Amino acid sequence: MLDRRDVLKAGTALGAVALIPAAARAAVGEGATAGAGDAALYQLFDAMFAEGLAQNPEGATQLGLDTGANAALRSQLAIGSAARRAQQKALTEKQLGQLLGVDTKALSPRAKLQYDVVLYTCRSAQAAQRFDFGGASYSRSPYVVSQITGDYQSTPTFLDTKHPIANSADAEAYVARVGAFADQLDADTAQMQADAARGIVPPDYLLDETILQLSQTIQPADKATIVTSLRTRGAKAGVDAKVIAAGEAAYTSRVVPALQRQLDIAKALRKTATHDAGVWKFKEGPEFYAVALAGTTTTRLSPEEVHKFGLDQAAMIGARLDGELKKLGMTKGTIGERMAALYKDPKQLYPNTDDGKLQAIGYCNDRLTAIRALLPKAFTHQPQYQFEVRRVPPENEAGAASAFSQSPSLDGKRPGLVYFNLHDSAEWPKFCLATTVFHEGLPGHQFEGGLSLANKDLPLILKTTGFSGYAEGWALYAEQLADELGAYDDDPLGRLGYLKFQLFRANRCVVDTGLHHYKWTREQAIQRFVENEGEAPGFARREVDRYTALPGQACSYKLGHSVFVKLRGEAQAALGPKFDIKGFHDAVLGCGRVPLEILEQVGRGWIAGIKGLA
């Protein structure tokens, strides 16, 4: 579970465990005789992973693999130049050709399943690389720089939270990366200009937020995150003051001017930007959206089908939420009006101060601790990593996602992190926090991602492969599971928060397709969230802006959740009293992150295996 931003730029795990018990191994062929081609396939996987890692220095550092033969990567950053795009495309073509040359008949069932996953990844990358514009954050974006894309915001956070400073060599590598950051910025700025010449410019409201964040990023050295992080951590490590001074000088002489150049271009683009939200406005927009929707959801559904799915799910979840509100005596008004009233309840609001936000983060960490005690009821294994909740850095709050997760390092030296955007505490009333902790932390992203990192049956290329349909679908299923495990038995308002966010994910399917296929305005999309579920207007605005910049990704949550729920229902119906929730979870987690159609194969293979043992 790499930070998706670092994956898209682009050892031995602690407590490694084999996740698939004998009853579940029929799903992937575990325990069967190895195929004659298995060893060669895994050698190819290792070579492919090494090639990808060489192009992804940030990913190497995040995984803790920038040592030994890869030590040079610790002083590098990926520079998003046209040359690098061509290099990435060439590597994809090369690796796809190698995969297509594999004799799949010589593979064991498990190796064949893993082959299918890697082949799917290459083909998905090939489809996305047809578009030589834009950038990436949590998925592909038509905009290389926006309120949520661009090295100007991701690299300072990466250097502060991922790059280690334990000695002088680490500090010197950090300083080299500060200089490389300036090169990243200029490459992004050049891409902004090239894209604009093709008519690909973010809408005015995204540029307003981007300009604000860029302005806030340009700070004097004594206030800039990348400098203060070097000073503070370097001092603790006993680093020579000359090294720290070199980092400060690189920031002042190179990074600040590069940031200013990018800000100037953003301001120039803003003068002629339109207010149209969707990618439909671009010549290649409809094709881009189709690829983005397929790539993030790993389904073959059309925008029309996804839109209808969202509407149907919203109606069903809304009916249940209405029932729960009535149980609490809240009977008057629409669902949106009643939920909006809860958002204004002073008992549910933390003060919009640094101290109040610290209290909110403390509550979230308490929820993370509490859910651990319930997990043995549903899982055979738990990841042996540490996890914690933090606040999004204030300089990134205006455009950052409302909440997101970053993985631990492979060796466990750096914990898994869950971030909450507390730009306005009123957007995060207490009753909405717990379910998001379960989604981003345990048993959600950090749980399934931690198990993948620690799964010795997965080659590294699969430990670090990400499919939003699977990952977000599991995380939404994890919210449901927390409710089933009793996380809200003494917290009925927390259950309302859980159902509200289920409704929110259904509306994401409606809004994302509305923006990019049905030509909705930003205001129409915000209104859907506010009126249908009582969303805080600021939260709704930031979410809609996220979907504007990252087409398709928002649809992956509810679509993925529906597959996990469908598979569990099929297993319960087919197995009756023989159904074991722990075994089911072992099966669907033991394969790592896979496309949804392959997940269905795994789930149904597990069902058939259990029936065969009866």
Side-chain angles (χ1 to χ4, degrees), residues 443-463:
H445 285 314
Q446 296 290 353
F447 189 95
E448 66 88 6
L451 288 180
S452 287
L453 287 178
N455 186 348
K456 66 182 182 182
D457 289 327
L458 290 178
L460 272 173
I461 198 169
L462 290 180
K463 290 178 189 286

Side-chain angles (χ1 to χ4, degrees), residues 388-390 404-406 416-420 436 440-441 446:
E388 62 182 77
V389 181
R390 294 183 183 178
F404 55 93
S405 191
Q406 294 181 355
L417 301 176
V418 173
Y419 283 95
F420 276 79
T436 308
E440 301 289 350
Q446 296 290 353

Side-chain angles (χ1 to χ4, degrees), residues 18 145 167 223 254 318 413 466 493 506 577 581:
V145 174
N167 51 50
K223 294 182 179 179
R254 298 198 57 204
K413 292 181 179 179
L493 288 180
I581 189 69

Side-chain angles (χ1 to χ4, degrees), residues 523-538:
E523 290 70 28
Q524 279 178 279
I526 293 171
Q527 185 180 26
R528 171 73 188 187
F529 283 129
V530 172
E531 292 187 354
N532 190 261
E533 62 194 56
E535 193 61 80

